[in-house]
Amino acid sequence: MSRTRLVFSGALLLFAIIFTFKHHLGFSVGDSLLLSIGISPYTTSYLSGVHITIFFGLGMLACGYYLTRKEMMIEFPILARRLWIAVLVVIISYSYVTDKVMYVVKWGAGGMNGIAYMQNNSSCVYDVSSNGQTLVICELTLKNYSSSPVVAMVKPDLAGSYHNEDDPLSNSLRSVQLKAIPIQIEPRTTYTGKLEFSGVAECPLQVRGRLNDVVLNVAVDGTNTSFDYNVP
C-alpha cells in the first residue's frame, strides 16, 4: 500500500463530499465554485434543469471511493469493506457538522462577523398598490454564531431578488423604499421569523407576487452588508 496514494485518494473522497453536498448555509461548495467561473449549477436556470454539480460530485465521489478502498484493501481489508458506512455517515452529518464547527470558529466574533443568513430558506410576499403603498411579508432565517447578542436592522432587497431585469416589474421593485426592521438574535442561536415591512414605490405597478432566495440587507453597529450568495 502506498501512503501517498492513500492520502491522495482519501483527500479526493473528502473533497468530493464537500463539493457535492450542502453545508450549513444550505448550498454546496461545488455550486459556488461553478458560479465563480461563470458556469450555472443548473443546465437551464436555478432550481430547474439538470443539477451539474451533482454529476461532477458523484463522479469524483465514485472515483475517490474506489481508489481509497483499493489502497486500504491491501493492509486493512476489514476497514476497506466498511468504508461505505463511514462515507455514508459523513454525507448524512455533513451539514450538521459544518454548522457546529461555525459555532467554534466564530465563538469570539463580534457584530456582523458572527451573523449568517440562510438565503435558501427565505421568501417574501409583496403587494404593491396603485398609489405606491407597498407591503412585504418575509420569512427569514438568520444565525448568530458568536457568544454575544446582536441587534440587526434588516430589510429585503426586492429588485435584487427578482432575476428578470429591465421589465416593468423589475423597475417597480427597484423603486420600492422599505423601512428596515430591528431584530435581536441571541448568542449561538437561530432566528426564524415572519417580518412585515412597509414602504412606498416611486414607480408603482399594482402587483402581488412572491420571491424566493431573498437578498437581504443587514446593518449591525453601523456596518452594512447585503447577503446575496447568488446560489440556488
Side-chain angles (χ1 to χ4, degrees):
M1 178 181 68
S2 170
R3 299 289 180 180
T4 302
R5 287 198 299 268
L6 180 60
V7 170
F8 172 79
S9 58
L12 177 61
L13 181 58
L14 180 60
F15 176 76
I17 294 173
I18 295 173
F19 181 92
T20 309
F21 299 97
K22 295 179 179 180
H23 51 58
H24 62 290
L25 292 180
F27 55 92
S28 71
V29 170
D31 289 335
S32 299
L33 290 176
L34 290 178
L35 284 168
S36 68
I37 59 176
I39 300 176
S40 171
Y42 289 84
T43 53
T44 54
S45 62
Y46 285 150
L47 301 181
S48 64
V50 177
H51 194 188
I52 299 174
T53 305
I54 289 293
F55 279 86
F56 285 152
L58 291 181
M60 287 189 293
L61 183 66
C63 183
Y65 175 82
Y66 171 78
L67 293 175
T68 302
R69 189 176 187 276
K70 180 180 178 182
E71 292 298 324
M72 292 179 62
M73 189 64 74
I74 299 174
E75 294 187 18
F76 310 107
I78 296 178
L79 292 178
R81 294 188 185 97
R82 297 176 180 174
L83 178 62
W84 69 271
I85 299 177
V87 172
L88 183 61
V89 170
V90 172
I91 291 174
I92 293 174
S93 62
Y94 175 60
S95 179
Y96 175 83
V97 170
T98 54
D99 181 59
K100 299 309 176 185
V101 167
M102 292 303 297
Y103 285 108
V104 176
V105 172
K106 292 185 175 289
W107 180 270
M112 189 70 74
N113 292 329
I115 298 297
Y117 169 52
M118 310 297 290
Q119 186 172 345
N120 280 16
N121 292 337
S122 66
S123 64
C124 289
V125 176
Y126 59 88
D127 185 354
V128 183
S129 63
S130 58
N131 63 2
Q133 295 298 315
T134 303
L135 178 65
V136 181
I137 300 176
C138 297
E139 294 185 6
L140 305 172
T141 301
L142 296 96
K143 293 195 174 194
N144 179 10
Y145 287 113
S146 72
S147 56
S148 302
V150 173
V151 176
M153 299 294 293
V154 302
K155 66 176 179 179
D157 181 352
L158 301 182
S161 307
Y162 181 69
H163 299 297
N164 295 329
E165 298 181 356
D166 300 325
D167 67 4
L169 179 55
S170 176
N171 295 332
S172 180
L173 294 178
R174 190 175 293 110
S175 73
V176 173
Q177 301 297 321
L178 294 175
K179 298 177 183 178
I181 294 178
I183 60 171
Q184 178 166 322
I185 314 175
E186 298 302 323
R188 301 180 296 280
T189 59
T190 298
Y191 172 89
T192 299
K194 182 177 289 186
L195 302 176
E196 186 173 303
F197 301 86
S198 61
V200 178
E202 297 178 357
C203 301
L205 176 68
Q206 187 170 0
V207 65
R208 294 180 181 180
R210 181 184 180 89
L211 296 170
N212 295 315
D213 305 324
V214 176
V215 177
L216 188 68
N217 294 321
V218 180
V220 177
D221 298 331
T223 301
N224 296 281
T225 297
S226 179
F227 284 100
D228 182 9
Y229 297 113
N230 193 28
V231 294

